[in-house]
Amino acid sequence: MKKREIIWRSVMSFLWGSALVTGNLFCLITAFNVPVDGKELIFLCVLAVLFCSVIFIFKRSWIGSAVFWLFLAVLVYWRFELIRDGFLIAFKIIAQKFMESYNTFRGLQLIVNVSDDASATYFMAVLGGMLGYLTVRTVAKGGRLWGVAIFSILLLVPCLLIINSMPDMLPFVVLMGAYGMLLLTQSQRWHDMEGRYSLMAMLTVPVVIFSLALAAFISPTEHQRPVWAENIRTHFRETFSQPMAQQDPVTGETVYMSPFLQDTLGKMSWNSDISETDLDKIGPQIQTGGAVMSVLSDDGGTIYLKGNTLGVYQDNRWSMVEESEYAGLNINSDLWTTNNAARHEVMVRTYGKSSIFYLPYVPNNLPIGAEIYYDAFVKNSEGLFEYAVAFVEGADNARLSDGYEEFVHETYTQVPEETRQVLSGILEELSGNVSEITDYVRNSAAYSLETGRVPEGEEFTEWFLTESDTGYCVHFATAATVLLRCFDIPARYVNGYLVQAEAGDWVTVTQDDAHAWVEYYVDGYGWIPLEVTPAASRETTTETEEQYLNEQEVPETEKENTGEIPPVEDEKSFAWIFWCIGFAAVLILWVPVVRKVRTSVLKKGTANRRTVKYYRHILLLSKRAKKPVLEEVETMAMKARFSQHDISEAELELVMRAYLDLVTELKNEKGVLSKVLYRFIFAL
């Protein structure tokens, strides 16, 4: 290899090796907010790649390789505690996000003995050193990209597919640019073609420009999981659910024993159990964008899909009313439906099994196979994935069984005495009006999904109303329900989904649309939904009890853009990244496949047939080279085509040599565009 080519090999190995290593690592780091010293990590990674680039200048590169791995082993031994803590903090952060995103480890705590102040810099540097050596060796020795690609997949799949967490744009573009360069030049490096590293140098500027253009025109700031990826995850859950599940005989809820699965339809962690909500575990929520259902309505606007109600508040926990409390009551479907003529219809299509139905206010009928569980929820006993419900907004459900109102006033006004005591100061400020309580709760804190957990030993409602500056729907709904009960207004806590419907169009409902609100009871009328969670972008108003009864319709609120209910934006999906990866795969396969097919065709048949095939290729290449076909080649082709004589091996060799000379001439043209055209498009 010429000295100039050796220099280009070292420079290109260093440049694109550094880009690939830093791009890979910082995609993972920015996707999960892994704590590192960015400048120090970049310095260590670039230094490692530079050392590896120098190693492969020498013929006996194995000596330098041994020195590199020995140095890496010494670094691990010398900085073992820092590297160990870096691994643990990275593992802790990624595992926690995995658990929160899949919502499958509810009630489990990840115990990792590492300080929250630990840094993953040295651990990431070790990974970078290993990836750097592998990348430089691949570039310098003309190796295949399989090893580098597998390493990258292990780092990228968790954030791009499994956990749905998007890395920053800069490292992602750097990584895609590095892979684009390596894929474009892989065939030349693999076949040790002359000028392969000079070609890499010439392609560097176009690749950088293309990468910058990609960064300028495409922004993946809103990551929405592709439908196919969502189907994979759903299939994964259903596959593992078969041998590892048991059904609650009371609620009908499927309780999974596998750590890979969810208890119910895939709601937020605070909303994943229809029998209780443990408020002590309510903490910061991460939006996953995971689709759980699609909804089709004949009318647009906000639709509350009620799932289940919880009526017992005790020890910072909402739970269902005990079945024994319903003794003597004859509760049937009349409590859930209305006689008023249906005005609208909604169709629900769930992506996974759900043990309960999600119903709008107020149903005119219940789905096929519905089994009511008193006034708490409606079982989906047949496991339907799709059902339609006709409903009337704001209709009463006053067809109540005898004794139900007495039961409501006795059951849904209960508040622990210790809770009443800690709230006594707040209760003195209020008169007990529904609108007044609603306004008080709404104004008590700002909306934020980053709200932390209640401190150990503190009463949840009192802490939220007096100490916490922020909260989300769980906090607001709990506080309002408790305050209403303190004034003997029957109220209960409701779980479900808040859907922004579009008339005549299917809309996707995600885990982020899970919602909690309040229902309060009015004698002779029934349960009335009450929204108490404030909006982040506008002032929310609530109808008073009198207005609601007079107008007999549910207070209509616009969709609250609080982060809990994000707008559906299919056009800004994450699928473009996979198109880029698919395009890169086509690039890497195009040249070897075309060459393989061409070689196979040219080798088949008699000498006469092969001569004619070579001649046709020579005609095409001669036009590109703007040169006439050699007379003796044309003579051989005419003889093979029209004569009865057989072409000899020497004559065939003459035609083949002319073909190869043309190929070599075209590939060695000086223009960058010509090199790209003949080497990558024509695959010469």
Side-chain angles (χ1 to χ4, degrees):
M1 185 182 293
K2 296 179 180 179
K3 183 177 180 180
R4 180 186 177 189
E5 194 70 6
I6 293 175
I7 295 174
W8 278 123
R9 180 182 67 179
S10 300
V11 172
M12 291 298 101
S13 298
F14 170 71
L15 177 63
W16 292 109
S18 299
L20 191 141
V21 170
T22 55
N24 258 301
L25 294 182
F26 279 91
C27 277
L28 182 69
I29 290 167
T30 56
F32 296 103
N33 294 320
V34 178
V36 297
D37 185 329
K39 294 181 180 179
E40 183 179 6
L41 178 59
I42 292 175
F43 172 77
L44 292 174
C45 290
V46 170
L47 188 64
V49 174
L50 178 61
F51 184 81
C52 293
S53 301
V54 173
I55 287 175
F56 291 100
I57 292 178
F58 305 101
K59 291 183 178 180
R60 296 182 178 179
S61 58
W62 64 270
I63 298 177
S65 298
V67 172
F68 173 79
W69 288 107
L70 179 62
F71 175 79
L72 201 62
V74 171
L75 176 65
V76 172
Y77 177 79
W78 179 41
R79 295 291 187 182
F80 177 75
E81 291 186 359
L82 290 176
I83 295 172
R84 180 201 61 194
D85 290 348
F87 166 75
L88 291 176
I89 191 65
F91 171 78
K92 179 180 179 181
I93 292 172
I94 295 173
Q96 283 180 338
K97 193 159 188 178
F98 175 85
M99 292 161 64
E100 292 169 350
S101 296
Y102 270 77
N103 189 25
T104 59
F105 296 88
R106 180 178 46 79
L108 298 181
Q109 291 185 348
L110 181 65
I111 301 176
V112 179
N113 294 323
V114 62
S115 171
D116 291 336
D117 297 329
S119 172
T121 301
Y122 281 92
F123 169 67
M124 289 294 175
V126 172
L127 289 182
M130 293 189 292
L131 179 58
Y133 177 86
L134 189 61
T135 304
V136 172
R137 189 179 188 283
T138 300
V139 174
K141 294 295 186 180
R144 294 291 189 183
L145 284 175
W146 296 115
V148 178
I150 291 173
F151 204 116
S152 294
I153 288 172
L154 293 175
L155 294 177
L156 293 178
V157 164
C159 59
L160 297 185
L161 180 61
I162 297 177
I163 306 183
N164 212 26
S165 180
M166 184 60 198
D168 286 351
M169 188 62 176
L170 180 59
F172 185 80
V173 168
V174 169
L175 179 62
M176 289 297 102
Y179 267 112
M181 172 60 75
L182 297 181
L183 291 173
L184 283 171
T185 58
Q186 174 168 290
S187 179
Q188 283 67 35
R189 289 182 286 102
W190 175 253
H191 294 286
D192 290 331
M193 293 183 177
E194 185 178 352
R196 54 193 179 277
Y197 297 107
S198 300
L199 176 64
M200 288 185 71
M202 288 186 291
L203 288 176
T204 295
V205 174
V207 169
V208 171
I209 293 175
F210 176 78
S211 300
L212 293 176
L214 187 69
F217 291 102
I218 304 179
S219 175
T221 54
E222 296 190 16
H223 178 185
Q224 185 174 356
R225 186 186 300 276
V227 174
W228 63 266
E230 200 60 52
N231 291 338
I232 289 176
R233 191 169 65 162
T234 299
H235 178 72
F236 180 80
R237 289 198 302 265
E238 292 181 352
T239 300
F240 278 83
S241 68
Q242 302 305 319
M244 296 179 288
Q246 62 183 15
Q247 192 173 49
D248 189 311
V250 176
T251 65
E253 180 182 21
T254 302
V255 180
Y256 296 102
M257 310 309 293
S258 166
F260 301 100
L261 298 166
Q262 303 178 151
D263 286 351
T264 184
L265 188 57
K267 300 172 281 184
M268 292 288 211
S269 58
W270 48 263
N271 198 18
S272 60
D273 188 344
I274 65 174
S275 61
E276 68 174 21
T277 294
D278 189 347
L279 300 174
D280 283 330
K281 296 178 181 178
I282 299 302
Q285 296 294 315
I286 297 177
Q287 292 183 298
T288 65
V292 294
M293 67 174 75
S294 293
V295 173
L296 175 66
S297 175
D298 59 358
D299 188 31
T302 301
I303 298 178
Y304 285 80
L305 292 182
K306 175 181 174 181
N308 64 298
T309 64
L310 300 174
V312 177
Y313 181 75
Q314 185 74 40
D315 298 328
N316 287 353
R317 184 188 302 269
W318 282 109
S319 57
M320 291 196 309
V321 176
E322 292 290 337
E323 186 172 12
S324 59
E325 299 293 328
Y326 294 103
L329 289 177
N330 181 25
I331 298 179
N332 53 41
S333 60
D334 289 346
L335 180 64
W336 288 87
T337 59
T338 179
N339 278 331
N340 296 6
R343 299 177 187 173
H344 305 291
E345 185 176 65
V346 64
M347 181 172 289
V348 178
R349 180 183 297 160
T350 61
Y351 296 157
K353 292 182 180 180
S354 173
S355 59
I356 62 175
F357 286 111
Y358 291 88
L359 305 173
Y361 288 92
V362 174
N364 187 257
N365 61 282
L366 295 179
I368 297 174
E371 295 182 12
I372 65 167
Y373 183 77
Y374 302 103
D375 61 349
F377 55 84
V378 179
K379 289 184 184 180
N380 182 5
S381 58
E382 296 187 5
L384 299 181
F385 286 88
E386 184 172 318
Y387 50 91
V389 181
F391 66 100
V392 183
E393 290 182 337
D396 63 51
N397 54 350
R399 299 179 296 152
L400 309 175
S401 62
D402 294 338
Y404 182 71
E405 290 191 345
E406 291 78 3
F407 165 78
V408 166
H409 281 275
E410 180 179 350
T411 304
Y412 294 108
T413 57
Q414 294 184 12
V415 178
E417 186 59 34
E418 56 271 23
T419 301
R420 289 183 183 270
Q421 291 177 1
V422 296
L423 294 177
S424 58
I426 296 175
L427 298 177
E428 291 176 357
E429 301 176 18
L430 302 172
S431 62
N433 180 272
V434 174
S435 296
E436 180 190 31
I437 293 174
T438 300
D439 291 339
Y440 181 85
V441 172
R442 279 182 176 166
N443 296 326
S444 62
Y447 183 92
S448 174
L449 289 175
E450 299 299 323
T451 304
R453 293 188 179 187
V454 56
E456 186 176 357
E458 294 197 28
E459 207 284 328
F460 184 87
T461 303
E462 189 267 341
W463 166 78
F464 169 64
L465 292 175
T466 61
E467 298 182 30
S468 179
D469 295 326
T470 61
Y472 46 90
C473 58
V474 182
H475 302 80
F476 291 99
T478 295
T481 304
V482 171
L483 290 181
L484 288 169
R485 289 186 172 194
C486 287
F487 288 98
D488 292 329
I489 299 174
R492 59 187 182 181
Y493 178 94
V494 187
N495 282 323
Y497 288 93
L498 188 52
V499 181
Q500 184 65 21
E502 297 179 8
D505 292 328
W506 285 96
V507 296
T508 300
V509 181
T510 71
Q511 293 178 356
D512 305 327
D513 296 315
H515 195 49
W517 62 92
V518 183
E519 284 183 349
Y520 70 97
Y521 192 84
V522 176
D523 291 344
Y525 191 86
W527 290 103
I528 298 175
L530 180 65
E531 180 60 84
V532 294
T533 303
S537 58
R538 63 172 181 82
E539 182 180 354
T540 307
T541 59
T542 306
E543 302 286 354
T544 63
E545 177 180 332
E546 292 78 9
Q547 289 174 321
Y548 185 94
L549 293 176
N550 290 336
E551 296 179 10
Q552 292 204 353
E553 61 181 23
V554 176
E556 212 172 295
T557 58
E558 297 178 8
K559 185 170 180 74
E560 300 177 354
N561 188 14
T562 60
E564 180 181 321
I565 312 160
V568 179
E569 297 186 8
D570 292 333
E571 66 275 13
K572 286 189 177 181
S573 71
F574 197 59
W576 66 271
I577 291 178
F578 297 95
W579 280 105
C580 292
I581 296 175
F583 180 70
V586 172
L587 285 180
I588 195 174
L589 293 174
W590 170 257
V591 173
V593 169
V594 171
R595 285 180 178 172
K596 182 70 175 178
V597 171
R598 183 190 297 135
T599 302
S600 177
V601 170
L602 291 175
K603 286 184 176 180
K604 287 183 179 180
T606 63
N608 287 45
R609 292 181 61 84
R610 293 177 62 191
T611 300
V612 173
K613 292 176 184 178
Y614 274 111
Y615 178 67
R616 289 172 179 170
H617 281 81
I618 290 172
L619 285 176
L620 176 62
L621 297 180
S622 296
K623 291 180 181 180
R624 302 301 308 181
K626 297 181 180 180
K627 293 179 61 176
V629 178
L630 295 177
E631 184 176 348
E632 54 267 32
V633 172
E634 189 170 359
T635 300
M636 292 299 105
M638 295 302 103
K639 178 182 176 180
R641 178 75 183 275
F642 301 107
S643 172
Q644 299 296 323
H645 298 86
D646 293 333
I647 297 294
S648 67
E649 289 296 326
E651 291 172 328
L652 177 60
E653 182 70 24
L654 174 67
V655 177
M656 291 173 57
R657 189 180 303 278
Y659 167 75
L660 294 176
D661 288 343
L662 273 174
V663 170
T664 302
E665 181 178 346
L666 290 173
K667 287 169 61 176
N668 290 333
E669 286 194 4
K670 295 183 179 179
V672 175
L673 293 178
S674 297
K675 288 182 180 293
V676 173
L677 176 66
Y678 296 127
R679 296 192 182 199
F680 301 112
I681 305 302
F682 286 92
L684 297 180

